[in-house]
Amino acid sequence: MSNAVQTEKEFSIDMIPEPENLEEIVYSLMVNPNLSTINYFNDFSDQGISPESIGESETDEIGIFELEGNGTRMAMSTHAFHHHLESDPQKATEILISRATRKMLCFGAQPFAVSAFLYHIDFADPNGQFIASGAKKGLENAAAKFGLKISDRKIRFDHFSEHGPVPPTIIISIMAQVPEGENLITHSFKNKGNHIFVIGRSLDDINSSEYLEFYHGISESPLPAFNIEDEIAVQKAIKTLIGKKLIESASPVGKGGLFFTLLRAAIPNELGFDITPDAETRNDAFLFGESMGRLIVGVNPDKEDEFVDAMSEINVPFFTLGHVTKGEIRIDDQSLGYIDKMTVGS
């Protein structure tokens, strides 16, 4: 693992040699607690954070509750972001809200409200006003693009510096309404033999990824590739597919990139996946990059033709990634073992 640290202006993906041993990267990243789905408030024990938590939750970080009296089900999730608020607060905020909204839509819930809390703004620093103003623009623009009401927004200034430098952070909460039970979609793969598709474009981008930060030790790089109009198109596509009941699972490509998104989908039902990377994209960017605007969906073979027809009408980029296996994980004909090997103690 490299200990090199680059600055944002200097960094380019060309500085990172394309890796030959994907298995080494996978098992190095497995110990990264940021890639585990953990609900801390459901467990007050003293047990340490473990990668065994990856993908355990069927709702994948989204809390569901029922309103008493009328049976309406609601969903809520909270997300935080600190990358580049000091240099590009508008884009950073738009990325955060896009991620949160896409996750809700993949679940089958319809987001309708967002609240935001901007933390650790230095009251004495002139850049504090720039961060607050940019985050406000990002919040308002993303809310308008995704049809969200802004329910609340607050800012917390730091008046003292004794605690040392603390990066500005924005925390947002998304509220959504959950449809009837039969329309509920979760991230987990359902059946061996289901086909796996990627919706959205793959790019040679590893910026601000866990792979770049944790494996290569490069903590400063630009924000991941992001275009809010592409995000809107992808989010409309997932709503259409769920409405037509053409998919059995859906996951936004998130932390850890495509590979760890697949892993979180495979673990709950002890399934695996056999995939072929895009030949036009670097393997590390394809598998571990965290560029925006991508989804992974599982499709029953009986509905594949309908799925392809629907996607052709939607006119959003998509491609076949592979299929769900009984438990083996294969990348480009290379076996990484079985799903039970992907947890601590295996």
Side-chain angles (χ1 to χ4, degrees), residues 99-203:
R99 284 177 174 170
T101 305
R102 181 161 26 101
K103 183 178 284 287
M104 280 290 192
L105 289 171
C106 282
F107 183 58
Q110 180 57 53
F112 63 84
V114 59
S115 65
F117 200 158
L118 190 60
Y119 262 107
H120 302 306
I121 304 301
D122 189 343
F123 187 76
D125 186 352
N127 199 43
Q129 177 63 33
F130 168 75
I131 295 172
S133 175
K136 177 177 180 290
K137 290 177 183 176
L139 171 65
E140 292 174 348
N141 187 48
K145 293 285 187 181
F146 302 132
L148 303 171
K149 294 180 180 178
I150 300 174
S151 63
D152 190 23
R153 63 183 101 184
K154 287 186 173 69
I155 184 170
R156 180 183 184 275
F157 290 102
D158 283 347
H159 295 268
F160 307 102
S161 58
E162 284 81 358
H163 53 57
V166 179
T169 302
I170 186 165
I171 301 173
I172 63 117
S173 293
I174 291 275
M175 185 74 73
Q177 186 165 353
V178 181
E180 296 298 325
E182 65 264 26
N183 293 327
L184 198 65
I185 301 292
T186 62
H187 71 293
S188 62
F189 292 142
K190 302 302 184 293
N191 297 293
K192 173 184 175 294
N194 276 6
H195 294 173
I196 306 170
F197 289 85
V198 174
I199 300 174
R201 293 185 177 87
S202 295
L203 302 171

Side-chain angles (χ1 to χ4, degrees), residues 90-99 102 141-142 146 203 205 223-232 291-293:
Q90 178 173 343
K91 184 177 178 182
T93 303
E94 289 175 355
I95 284 177
L96 178 62
I97 296 174
S98 296
R99 284 177 174 170
R102 181 161 26 101
N141 187 48
F146 302 132
L203 302 171
D205 177 74
L223 285 164
F226 170 68
N227 182 298
I228 199 165
E229 298 302 327
D230 290 344
E231 191 74 38
I232 291 169
S291 58
M292 296 287 291

Side-chain angles (χ1 to χ4, degrees), residues 263-313:
L263 192 61
R264 288 189 287 268
I267 286 176
N269 292 323
E270 298 183 337
L271 296 168
F273 48 88
D274 186 343
I275 63 171
T276 302
D278 181 359
E280 297 182 2
T281 307
R282 282 178 47 146
N283 274 345
D284 55 350
F286 183 81
L287 293 169
F288 310 115
E290 299 179 18
S291 58
M292 296 287 291
R294 292 177 296 153
L295 311 170
I296 294 172
V297 296
V299 179
N300 188 302
D302 293 338
K303 292 193 174 183
E304 182 178 7
D305 290 342
E306 292 179 71
F307 171 84
V308 171
D309 289 344
M311 286 302 302
S312 298
E313 291 179 10

Side-chain angles (χ1 to χ4, degrees), residues 33-144:
N34 288 336
L35 298 181
S36 295
T37 298
I38 302 170
N39 189 335
Y40 297 99
F41 292 103
N42 283 346
D43 184 3
F44 285 96
S45 69
D46 294 328
Q47 295 179 1
I49 297 171
S50 166
E52 289 180 331
S53 303
I54 292 177
E56 281 186 348
S57 170
E58 185 65 17
T59 56
D60 195 18
E61 299 177 328
I62 295 175
I64 305 171
F65 58 95
E66 188 172 303
L67 299 181
E68 294 184 7
N70 60 15
T72 301
R73 290 184 300 164
M74 309 296 290
M76 183 175 178
S77 63
T78 303
H79 306 260
F81 202 55
H82 68 272
H83 286 293
H84 297 283
L85 275 173
E86 293 177 286
S87 60
D88 197 341
Q90 178 173 343
K91 184 177 178 182
T93 303
E94 289 175 355
I95 284 177
L96 178 62
I97 296 174
S98 296
R99 284 177 174 170
T101 305
R102 181 161 26 101
K103 183 178 284 287
M104 280 290 192
L105 289 171
C106 282
F107 183 58
Q110 180 57 53
F112 63 84
V114 59
S115 65
F117 200 158
L118 190 60
Y119 262 107
H120 302 306
I121 304 301
D122 189 343
F123 187 76
D125 186 352
N127 199 43
Q129 177 63 33
F130 168 75
I131 295 172
S133 175
K136 177 177 180 290
K137 290 177 183 176
L139 171 65
E140 292 174 348
N141 187 48

